[in-house]
Amino acid sequence: MSKIEAVTVPKWGMTMTEGTIVTWLVQEGDVISKGDEIVEIETSKLTNVVESTAAGTLRRIVLAEGVTAPVGALAAVVADPAATEEELEAFIASYASRAGAGGEDADVPTARKVEVDGAAVNFLSLGADEGPVAILLHGFGGDLGTWMFNQDDLAAELRTVAIDLPGHGGSAPTRNTDAFAGAVAAVLGVIETLGTDRVHLVGHSFGGGVAAAVARALGDRAATVSLIAPIGLGPQMAGDFLTDFIAADRRRPLQKVLERLVADPGKITAEMVEGTLSFKRLEEVPEALTQIAAAIADGNRQRRDIRGDLAALRCPVQLIWGAQDQILPVPSEVLGSARLITLEGAGHMPQMEASGSVNRELLTLIRSAG
Amino acid sequence: MAQKSYRQAINEALHAEMARDPNVILMGEDLTGGAGGSGVQDAWGGPFGVTRGLLGAYGPERVRDTPISEAAFIGAAAGAALTGLRPVAEIMFIDFLGVCFDQIMNQAAKFRYMFGGRARTPLVIRATYGAGTRAGSQHTQALHPILTHIPGLKVVMPSTPYDAKGLLIQAIRDDDPVMFLEHKMLYDMVGEVPDRSYTIPFAEARVVRDGKDVLLIGLGRMAHIAEAAAEELARNGISACVIDPRTTSPLDVETLVEFAEKIGRVVIVDEANPRCSVAADISAILCEQCFDALKGPIRMVTAPHTPVPYAPNLEDAYIPSAARVVEAAQSLLRTR
């Protein structure tokens, strides 16, 4: 019997239950390889591209553009040309009964909270229950959902913990008058509850600055550090992003602000804007964000410099940057032994816009350190 | 995030604002029940269970049961607002508007204007509306068009538990009279509602779902009918955008025009009678502001121009259905 493989609607992040087919990037009859971008699917946050895990001929598109289907639904069928139409039909039919019988979401992971210095810190663990852990730290105004396209891939190989930084997502604002120090303390507090001596740090933007400081505080327990467009590597940034983000209290202005985060503005969905607005509307959130923004920049000048933290690290360090970043420019010189990876077609959120490449780089470094 | 009903969301907003501001008081018929008698009070939490627990938390001075005289207590609430309190008055059914309309239309709505801008009237009038409960012609109307017509009134129609809490807190903090309309068929609807307080600004439509072939505008409960229609259309390969205006006065004209221009085909779904309605109003605004972008006539899916029938089968037929919305959308797509 010929080899027949399924392309299914992926599950990106714990809240995703369905996806909408936006555009097929390949047509029936096209020959595809593993890793090829084959279809754009819209989720509650962002439109993302599915990379093929199969190689062969795209024989049948099952879900047409515009159709919304549950996670796990059969979207297309890849097979070698020898497969007969009857075999394809049987495969599609068997898939329908398999997907229907699933109840695959029975075990939905839920976030947990711990108290650090009297304030609740919310985090989501996925993957192994023990051993080395990858700590994922989002940027200003984000939450642990930033990693919806990444955490599952990392969790397939090791324990992962995505943390809501103080004042974000489900975490209370820090009581520390220094918002940056409060964030570092919150992350170290969560790590202490995990009982591990090997920590891989992954941080984005403001979370990248936090990750560098946390790594330095962990000393030899820090195994690798991956910073995605981190703050603190140059004097300049688009500081008006921070103030505009805080000021935007309606959909239209916020949409414009969020579009600055990505290379392709069309990727920002209406739901992402609504979700961000519902976070920003909560009482105390604007005050917490204002405090954090003040710790990041004064106008267009960055307040922090993380080069001292990086120079003190003895573990491998990599920097991942979107080539079209409009918030923090790609640094002109790389620091010491750190490796700089620049990704085309991505803005300030490469972990969402180029999730496949980012996941590969993260896992490559983590594997290399063992 | 916590899952709560529309009813709980409204109760939580009342609790939060009464705790935050001692000037917030409640007035209405049977808010607590049993007032003046020797029986148990607050057994039901009001006729729809919305005000449960507030009497115990804030006492009878701030949670006031009133006689069955809307003219008297709506007038009293308007006067209390004018003199410094923030009353939230409840008209059990919006159909009772008729007996207190002078207090709303000629008094509360006019104070700011007639006193040269020096009077504030931070009054919220909550009222239930809508068909589907087998309650007959005098307890089931959707009268938001009458209220939207009157300058000086703000009119809010939340369609989800999340919106109900955020819009009610916004309404209570607003310094003008606000009509807050709750659809009886939504009270048991459950959705994500944060524990913390938040406000949703007025004239901020919600993009329920993005789409490119047809724009469905759904008012109040009809946002859900529009959403169900959009799902059905998607199964037929048609991508429908759904927008819930949230407030009819002020109206988020900018968002409606933006999407109408982008999409070019518009269906408006409203449970009110069609003549001189908010649906007709939105249709007129869009025709005036983006006529050249329209690819066909604007379609309205509304109740017929009749009272709400009492016969269950006729009442069901009276309420706009997803099937009628789908049909209207498909007819637009056939035109070109």
Side-chain angles (χ1 to χ4, degrees):
Chain A
M1 169 140 174
S2 320
K3 190 176 170 199
I4 303 178
E5 293 178 90
V7 176
T8 59
V9 176
K11 183 167 176 63
W12 290 314
M14 65 170 177
T15 56
M16 179 170 172
T17 55
E18 57 181 28
T20 303
I21 307 293
V22 181
T23 313
W24 281 99
L25 305 173
V26 289
Q27 305 305 321
E28 286 184 359
D30 288 357
V31 176
I32 58 177
S33 315
K34 279 187 187 174
D36 283 359
E37 297 189 340
I38 52 173
V39 59
E40 284 184 356
I41 294 188
E42 182 178 310
T43 71
S44 58
K45 285 238 170 178
L46 206 73
T47 300
N48 196 29
V49 177
V50 177
E51 294 180 0
S52 180
T53 55
T57 304
L58 187 80
R59 294 287 300 272
R60 196 73 71 79
I61 288 176
V62 179
L63 297 178
E65 292 179 1
V67 171
T68 301
V71 165
L74 183 66
V77 181
V78 175
D80 53 50
T84 64
E85 288 297 313
E86 288 73 25
E87 285 174 327
L88 293 183
E89 287 301 335
F91 181 83
I92 292 169
S94 78
Y95 209 88
S97 60
R98 236 185 304 166
E104 56 204 78
D105 285 330
D107 193 22
V108 177
T110 50
R112 288 192 290 142
K113 285 185 170 75
V114 290
E115 290 266 318
V116 179
D117 299 335
V121 182
N122 190 54
F123 64 95
L124 175 68
S125 300
L126 290 181
D129 292 330
E130 50 186 25
V133 62
I135 299 286
L136 309 176
L137 305 176
H138 63 79
F140 170 83
D143 61 31
L144 58 82
T146 296
W147 307 107
M148 64 188 291
F149 303 136
N150 320 103
Q151 193 174 1
D152 285 337
D153 277 27
L154 300 186
E157 299 200 14
L158 79 164
R159 184 181 187 187
T160 64
V161 172
I163 299 176
D164 279 337
L165 292 173
H168 292 80
S171 294
T174 177
R175 298 184 173 187
N176 196 322
T177 51
D178 178 345
F180 188 86
V184 172
V187 175
L188 285 169
V190 172
I191 291 173
E192 288 323 309
T193 68
L194 300 175
T196 179
D197 54 6
R198 277 191 82 67
V199 180
H200 300 277
L201 288 146
V202 180
H204 171 237
S205 196
F206 173 70
V210 174
V214 168
R216 185 178 190 176
L218 288 173
D220 289 339
R221 295 163 67 198
T224 67
V225 175
S226 297
L227 305 181
I228 302 170
I231 60 165
L233 287 181
Q236 294 291 319
M237 71 166 291
D240 54 353
F241 170 79
L242 303 173
T243 45
D244 291 349
F245 181 88
I246 295 168
D249 65 345
R250 288 174 183 266
R251 182 187 62 82
R252 287 155 63 94
L254 186 64
Q255 169 107 26
K256 294 277 170 243
V257 174
L258 294 180
E259 285 175 358
R260 287 188 231 163
L261 287 173
V262 289
D264 173 7
K267 283 193 175 145
I268 302 289
T269 64
E271 282 145 298
M272 182 181 188
V273 180
E274 277 297 328
T276 308
L277 272 177
S278 53
F279 161 65
K280 276 168 42 58
R281 286 186 194 120
L282 290 170
E283 65 183 6
E284 295 180 355
V285 165
E287 294 79 5
L289 288 178
T290 302
Q291 192 198 7
I292 295 165
I296 297 175
D298 177 10
N300 286 331
R301 285 203 80 75
Q302 295 202 49
R303 278 189 184 278
R304 300 206 68 83
D305 187 337
I306 67 167
R307 285 175 291 194
D309 286 335
L310 293 185
L313 298 180
R314 287 185 293 273
C315 65
V317 176
Q318 67 180 355
L319 303 170
I320 301 173
W321 231 288
Q324 283 80 39
D325 195 321
Q326 300 170 55
I327 310 297
L328 287 159
V330 183
S332 48
E333 50 173 350
V334 185
L335 205 96
S337 61
R339 201 169 143 243
L340 174 66
I341 299 144
T342 309
L343 300 174
E344 283 300 326
H348 189 57
M349 307 280 284
Q351 73 275 30
M352 290 189 136
E353 274 192 287
S355 56
S357 306
V358 169
N359 293 348
R360 272 190 292 279
E361 298 296 348
L362 294 176
L363 282 168
T364 303
L365 186 71
I366 289 170
R367 284 182 201 131
S368 73
Chain B
M1 209 185 285
Q3 296 282 318
K4 292 164 197 166
S5 70
Y6 188 86
R7 173 187 289 110
Q8 273 176 294
I10 295 167
N11 181 269
E12 215 170 84
L14 293 171
H15 254 296
E17 289 308 284
M18 292 188 83
R20 176 179 179 267
D21 182 350
N23 287 322
V24 176
I25 64 159
L26 308 186
M27 299 173 83
E29 294 159 0
D30 269 337
L31 281 188
T32 67
S38 56
V40 178
Q41 283 196 282
D42 202 23
W44 294 354
F48 297 97
V50 171
T51 49
R52 188 185 299 279
L54 295 165
L55 176 71
Y58 305 103
E61 283 289 301
R62 292 180 66 195
V63 182
R64 303 182 76 97
D65 256 3
T66 66
I68 306 179
S69 172
E70 283 80 6
F73 77 79
I74 294 295
L82 202 55
T83 51
L85 295 179
R86 286 188 179 272
V88 181
E90 178 181 305
I91 300 178
M92 201 182 292
F93 295 92
I94 195 156
D95 313 72
F96 304 164
L97 205 58
V99 293
C100 55
F101 208 38
D102 184 67
Q103 298 301 336
I104 297 170
M105 174 176 70
N106 281 326
Q107 308 305 326
K110 303 290 190 284
F111 289 155
R112 181 192 279 277
Y113 184 79
M114 292 184 69
F115 294 134
R118 290 195 288 171
R120 297 183 315 152
T121 314
L123 167 67
V124 177
I125 298 176
R126 293 179 40 242
T128 67
Y129 75 100
T133 55
R134 315 298 186 225
S137 308
Q138 298 161 322
H139 297 80
T140 42
Q141 295 169 84
L143 296 179
H144 49 279
I146 293 179
L147 298 164
T148 305
H149 184 71
I150 300 168
L153 293 182
K154 294 176 180 174
V155 184
V156 181
M157 313 178 66
S159 67
T160 65
Y162 174 83
D163 282 2
K165 180 173 174 181
L167 288 168
L168 183 52
I169 293 177
Q170 177 78 25
I172 293 172
R173 295 182 190 178
D174 197 286
D175 281 342
D176 289 311
V178 179
M179 303 298 303
F180 190 87
L181 309 183
E182 302 163 15
H183 201 296
K184 295 184 285 291
M185 299 291 280
L186 294 178
Y187 277 133
D188 290 322
M189 181 195 170
V190 172
E192 286 192 349
V193 179
D195 294 332
R196 276 193 272 172
S197 288
Y198 56 93
T199 56
I200 300 170
F202 293 162
E204 169 76 353
R206 178 170 69 103
V207 181
V208 179
R209 163 189 184 120
D210 214 344
K212 59 182 195 313
D213 297 328
V214 60
L215 169 61
L216 311 178
I217 300 169
L219 294 154
R221 183 188 172 212
M222 293 300 111
H224 300 291
I225 299 295
E227 207 178 348
E231 276 157 27
E232 177 59 28
L233 287 165
R235 281 191 279 276
N236 295 306
I238 298 168
S239 155
C241 172
V242 178
I243 292 188
D244 167 7
R246 281 182 173 142
T247 60
T248 60
S249 184
L251 181 69
D252 185 357
V253 173
E254 275 191 354
T255 294
L256 297 179
V257 168
E258 175 193 330
F259 281 81
E261 276 184 340
K262 197 164 71 182
I263 297 169
R265 298 181 191 91
V266 183
V267 178
I268 307 168
V269 195
D270 188 0
E271 190 182 320
N273 301 116
R275 298 293 318 283
C276 297
S277 66
V278 175
D281 180 48
I282 291 174
S283 170
I285 291 170
L286 295 180
C287 281
E288 199 164 37
Q289 299 200 17
C290 46
F291 186 78
D292 290 340
L294 296 177
K295 296 171 183 161
I298 293 177
R299 293 287 308 271
M300 299 198 295
V301 177
T302 68
H305 200 62
T306 68
V308 183
Y310 184 55
N313 54 343
L314 293 181
E315 186 180 8
D316 290 343
Y318 173 95
I319 304 168
S321 64
R324 285 179 56 204
V325 179
V326 166
E327 202 179 279
Q330 285 174 333
S331 78
L332 280 178
L333 282 148
R334 276 196 297 270
T335 57
R336 213 166 311 170

